[in-house]
Amino acid sequence: MNDKTETISSGWRAFQHILAARGHRRLVLVEGDRRAAIARVAGLLPELSAAQGLWVGREQDAIMAGLGHIRAKDYRRVLGQELPVLVWDGWEGTSPDAFAALSGTLRAGGLLFWLMPPLAQWSDFDDPDYRRTGLDRASGHPFAARLATVLAEDPGVIRLEADNGTVPVLNRPEPGRADFQPGQTAEQQTLVADVVRAGQGRRRRPLVITADRGRGKSSALGMAAARLLETGRKRVLVTAPSADNVATLFAHARQALGDALALDTATHLTTRSGHELCFLPPQELLSQRPEAEVVLVDEAAGLPAQWLKAVLLGWPRVVFASTVHGYEGTGRGFALRFRQILEQETPNWRAVSVREPIRWAQGDPLERLVFQLYLLSADAPEPQPFVAGDVHIERWQPAAASEQTLVEAFGLLVNAHYRTTPADLRQWLDDPAAMTWRASAEGRTIGLLWASTEGGLAPDLAEEVVAGKRRLRGHMLAQSLANHGGAPAAATLKTLRVVRVAVAESARRLGVGQRLVAAAREACVQDGMDALGTSFGGEPGLLAFWHRCGLRVVRMGLSQEASTGEFPLQMLMGTSEPGQQLQQQLSSRFARHWQHLVSRHWCQLDHELLLAICDALPSSAWLDDDDRRDLTNFAYGFRGFELTLPVLQELSACKGMAHRIQSHPEAKLWCRAVLQGWSWVQLQEAGLCRGQRDAEAQLRLLARELLQNETEL
């Protein structure tokens, strides 16, 4: 290292200026007694440029230190800010997601003070944040031990002993190196032009922007929005997971518009010519569907894919921006999943990526460290040719793996799932109930199954769970089936819940996923567990996969998942006699309740998924002679739809009927009219018919075809 070093007597303010000149930020690890650490940092702060700094921990400590205060759970409120100093009291708990996110708020010259026990004690330190996810049950913490190893080996980490006043050796920038100047880069200027071009261009040509934190994508969106208003666009709408996410966007739009503004609020700008930039929460945007020439979606990875699809199809020009290595959830999972929608709906879409940071210099030590700590840049290994018969399936401990193997394995989980966060890495490594199977070929990871043991509760506790009086961490599927499914046995029996299955792109459709599930099923049998289960955002392809693996539908949630916008679908396979009885009980009960719930809770459900679930449920429906007569009179005569509706619903539940309906051109009309209770007006507005008479005519023809093989009824 060619850095000129010296001990800085007055210390920290000069060091902060040095870092700012280099465009770097640093982590200062304050190890030792908590009260001594707080006093040490509070004593240093007067030497620093700490105005507008933040303290994450107890409010009284923040007040004593003269910093603003925030709780870790509220970290999203400040993601648009730029801070000179951040103090994180790890004795109060360290949320991986919040810590990684807030590190991105520090500007060049920023210092992140992390108050923690000595590194040697981390593997046994009971982080208070563990209680949120059930990790306080663990006897050891491999995740924390790995963090300690990374920190100990990183020369950029400044380590302070809490009760030692010695000033560490602090590095000056390299001689002759030009000072870093934060601000707009050429890459960002190009991005602004790209957004303006998309906003002024032809319809149905969306732009998708991906970038890491600190690359200026939000500010570029703001500058581009201002230019679009100045050049004639009357309304530009902005949406994001929360209003806090667009503070930077609006700040740059406000600055660019300057004196041209007539109305200026935090989320609404109107120019003197009446053109406006407005923020709307995504649900409000999709329910109101206001007119606009352009819609900008910031932090798109934080929104469900179905919402993004609705925005894509709802407005003529849309720009999506997402963080690649996101702290609330990686944008790569978003990109991979959303790409399929873009290719199908708008094949002329365009992708732009931004790599050069604007708030700090390339190679910033803090960004590099945070990425390594939480594997934010983890990627699956490059696909290699292999023979399917050479795949090896084994029980595997990720916490015992080499760093390179862990990076590849976690990268596989990241790429396969819509939203993966640093907290997922902690849960995977530290959860004592976790079990993992690895599929490998030629020594490379090509598939993973991550599962967690649940249930086994005492009968009296299970009854409290069923009654909704108790909710326990770490028993998601068992509690859901016990409470919402109304089956106490789901809580008392032992279940292995599959959390994730991930298979490399090059190994898909070769049976690797099914072999991983089979290995988990065999472990359930050998270990005396009662069932293998899973819960996932309902989607026809995933339902078909799990059905091929032997699992059966036992429940669907009444509310959409925040991460995917899909309804959670839960499936189960008994691996013991009591487990088989539980699965059959839940499946049969759900099948009986299914039609009563569809029109109330799943009236907007995709018709393909609806019919796939109908086909997967056990059928006890049958038609008597009266039903057959009514059905025949509807299909071949003039019996009214409303009078025949109960029989049509019963027909849909008969064995094999849903499968036959699936392949029919009018399957969507049948689902909306017969199963989901849409009105004739709704059907017409959706383009499914020209009116009631036309819809009934189509339904009569379909009923006639279903009657052709009466033996199935």
Side-chain angles (χ1 to χ4, degrees):
M1 190 171 182
N2 298 322
D3 292 345
K4 178 182 177 183
T5 62
E6 70 174 275
T7 301
I8 304 173
S9 55
S10 64
W12 295 92
R13 182 185 292 271
F15 180 56
Q16 214 176 11
H17 288 310
I18 291 168
L19 286 178
R22 177 180 280 184
H24 284 180
R25 308 164 306 153
R26 297 284 279 275
L27 174 71
V28 183
L29 187 62
V30 188
E31 305 174 65
D33 177 74
R34 178 176 179 273
R35 296 313 313 174
I38 291 173
R40 180 83 193 271
V41 172
L44 292 176
L45 289 174
E47 295 187 51
L48 298 172
S49 302
Q52 291 84 47
L54 273 182
W55 187 290
V56 183
R58 297 181 184 177
E59 187 173 9
Q60 58 266 37
D61 296 328
I63 294 173
M64 183 268 292
L67 294 184
H69 171 257
I70 188 173
R71 294 178 297 179
K73 69 177 184 178
D74 298 324
Y75 72 93
R76 291 180 178 85
R77 291 197 293 107
V78 298
L79 289 187
Q81 298 182 20
E82 295 185 13
L83 306 175
V85 167
L86 179 68
V87 180
W88 189 291
D89 184 357
W91 292 91
E92 291 294 298
T94 300
S95 160
D97 296 350
F99 185 89
L102 288 180
S103 72
T105 64
L106 286 171
R107 61 175 177 250
L111 295 173
L112 171 49
F113 291 90
W114 194 1
L115 284 54
M116 286 290 286
L119 287 179
Q121 300 176 15
W122 279 34
S123 61
D124 298 316
F125 174 56
D126 289 325
D127 188 319
D129 191 62
Y130 290 160
R131 290 193 290 269
R132 291 191 303 112
T133 53
L135 295 178
D136 51 333
R137 300 173 294 164
S139 57
H141 305 293
F143 173 80
R146 178 187 166 274
L147 296 188
T149 299
V150 172
L151 291 166
E153 295 176 351
D154 192 318
V157 175
I158 302 168
R159 297 177 64 179
L160 296 182
E161 295 179 23
D163 54 1
N164 187 334
T166 303
V167 177
V169 174
L170 304 171
N171 298 333
R172 288 188 179 278
E174 298 173 6
R177 182 170 177 173
D179 285 354
F180 170 77
Q181 295 294 329
Q184 194 175 40
T185 64
E187 198 175 27
Q188 191 192 41
Q189 291 175 341
T190 301
L191 178 60
V192 172
D194 286 335
V195 175
V196 172
R197 190 178 305 115
Q200 293 176 333
R202 298 173 64 180
R203 293 167 167 257
R204 311 278 290 170
R205 295 176 181 266
L207 179 68
V208 178
I209 304 163
T210 52
D212 285 330
R213 291 265 181 223
R215 270 60 183 175
K217 61 178 178 55
S218 294
S219 52
L221 289 177
M223 290 183 279
R227 195 173 300 173
L228 286 169
L229 297 182
E230 291 171 336
T231 55
R233 290 302 183 201
K234 295 181 179 179
R235 177 183 286 172
V236 176
L237 296 178
V238 181
T239 193
S242 75
D244 297 323
N245 296 135
V246 299
T248 298
L249 187 157
F250 271 83
H252 282 82
R254 185 178 294 111
Q255 181 179 358
L257 290 169
D259 294 338
L261 283 175
L263 174 67
D264 180 354
T265 71
T267 58
H268 192 167
L269 304 179
T270 303
T271 67
R272 298 186 186 281
S273 58
H275 300 180
E276 55 182 352
L277 174 68
C278 310
F279 167 79
L280 285 176
Q283 289 175 295
E284 191 174 328
L285 175 72
L286 292 174
S287 63
Q288 295 181 5
R289 295 190 176 273
E291 290 187 8
E293 296 106 326
V294 184
V295 174
L296 308 177
V297 184
D298 204 359
E299 298 301 343
L303 298 178
Q306 293 303 315
W307 293 6
L308 297 176
K309 180 179 180 180
V311 175
L312 175 70
L313 301 180
W315 284 267
R317 300 167 192 85
V318 185
V319 176
F320 300 93
S322 180
T323 305
V324 181
H325 304 109
Y327 310 117
E328 302 84 7
T330 178
R332 287 210 310 283
F334 147 79
L336 292 168
R337 187 165 181 173
F338 192 44
R339 179 185 295 270
Q340 300 171 6
I341 297 174
L342 291 165
E343 294 287 0
Q344 180 180 349
E345 302 292 347
T346 54
N348 291 318
W349 71 284
R350 196 161 67 92
V352 174
S353 60
V354 185
R355 294 178 175 84
E356 189 176 353
I358 63 170
R359 293 208 302 266
W360 51 79
Q362 197 80 33
D364 166 55
L366 182 61
E367 182 178 61
R368 185 188 67 245
L369 174 64
V370 171
F371 270 50
Q372 185 179 3
L373 287 172
Y374 300 117
L375 299 185
L376 289 175
S377 56
D379 205 353
E382 289 294 324
Q384 301 290 334
F386 65 92
V387 178
D390 294 337
V391 176
H392 176 61
I393 308 290
E394 63 180 337
R395 184 83 171 269
W396 189 64
Q397 292 289 343
S402 68
E403 183 72 5
Q404 181 59 37
T405 304
L406 179 64
V407 168
E408 291 181 353
F410 192 64
L412 191 59
L413 292 178
V414 165
N415 287 349
H417 196 260
Y418 186 63
R419 184 178 296 177
T420 302
T421 70
D424 292 321
L425 177 62
R426 182 178 70 177
Q427 195 75 20
W428 189 34
L429 297 183
D430 279 10
D431 186 1
M435 300 170 69
T436 302
W437 283 264
R438 175 178 179 245
S440 61
E442 302 292 335
R444 307 297 297 273
T445 302
I446 62 169
L448 287 170
L449 186 148
W450 166 18
S452 180
T453 55
E454 298 186 357
L457 306 181
D460 55 344
L461 181 56
E463 289 293 346
E464 291 187 1
V465 169
V466 173
K469 297 178 180 179
R470 291 286 297 274
R471 183 164 182 81
L472 308 177
R473 295 183 181 89
H475 297 273
M476 186 275 283
L477 181 62
Q479 288 191 107
S480 179
L481 295 179
N483 179 244
H484 303 297
T492 58
L493 297 182
K494 294 181 180 179
T495 300
L496 182 65
R497 175 175 66 90
V498 178
V499 180
R500 302 261 178 98
V501 176
V503 177
E505 180 67 34
S506 60
R508 291 175 188 168
R509 293 168 293 279
L510 297 176
V512 175
Q514 292 186 62
R515 289 183 60 186
L516 286 166
V517 175
R521 180 182 66 235
E522 182 61 27
C524 289
V525 175
Q526 293 180 356
D527 296 348
M529 286 185 277
D530 298 290
L532 177 70
T534 189
S535 179
F536 57 92
E539 188 269 328
L542 287 175
L543 171 58
F545 167 77
W546 287 110
H547 202 271
R548 287 195 301 271
C549 292
L551 280 73
R552 298 295 176 256
V553 176
V554 291
R555 180 180 174 269
M556 189 159 75
L558 303 182
S559 301
Q560 293 166 293
E561 292 181 326
S563 60
T564 65
E566 296 161 347
F567 292 93
L569 195 60
Q570 296 173 344
M571 300 181 70
L572 201 69
M573 174 175 57
T575 55
S576 71
E577 186 174 343
Q580 292 169 4
Q581 292 173 353
L582 173 64
Q583 180 263 304
Q584 292 168 3
Q585 172 196 348
L586 288 167
S587 292
S588 298
R589 193 162 193 240
F590 184 56
R592 294 199 310 272
H593 296 170
W594 168 249
Q595 184 54 56
H596 300 287
L597 296 172
V598 167
S599 60
R600 289 182 60 85
H601 299 285
W602 305 311
C603 60
Q604 298 293 334
L605 191 69
D606 178 76
H607 76 284
E608 293 181 0
L609 178 59
L610 184 75
L611 288 171
I613 295 173
C614 286
D615 190 41
L617 289 174
S619 176
S620 59
W622 59 281
L623 301 182
D624 60 21
D625 291 341
D626 291 337
D627 293 334
R628 290 172 184 273
R629 182 177 58 250
D630 287 348
L631 188 57
T632 301
N633 287 336
F634 173 76
Y636 294 96
F638 298 95
R639 183 173 175 81
F641 171 81
E642 298 295 341
L643 292 174
T644 318
L645 181 58
V647 180
L648 296 175
Q649 292 176 343
E650 194 75 11
L651 173 65
S652 303
C654 289
K655 185 177 180 180
M657 285 299 109
H659 182 71
R660 292 176 61 182
I661 295 170
Q662 279 178 304
S663 59
H664 198 279
E666 306 306 334
K668 188 172 184 179
L669 174 63
W670 183 280
C671 286
R672 299 308 197 205
V674 175
L675 302 178
Q676 295 174 296
W678 283 31
S679 69
W680 305 117
V681 172
Q682 288 176 304
L683 294 170
Q684 185 174 0
E685 290 177 346
L688 296 175
C689 64
R690 295 189 297 273
Q692 179 176 351
R693 180 174 296 182
D694 177 50
E696 286 196 0
Q698 295 181 60
L699 293 170
R700 291 180 197 276
L701 287 173
L702 178 48
R704 198 176 302 168
E705 293 183 30
L706 296 176
L707 278 171
Q708 289 176 356
N709 189 350
E710 296 192 21
T711 59
E712 296 185 9
L713 306 180

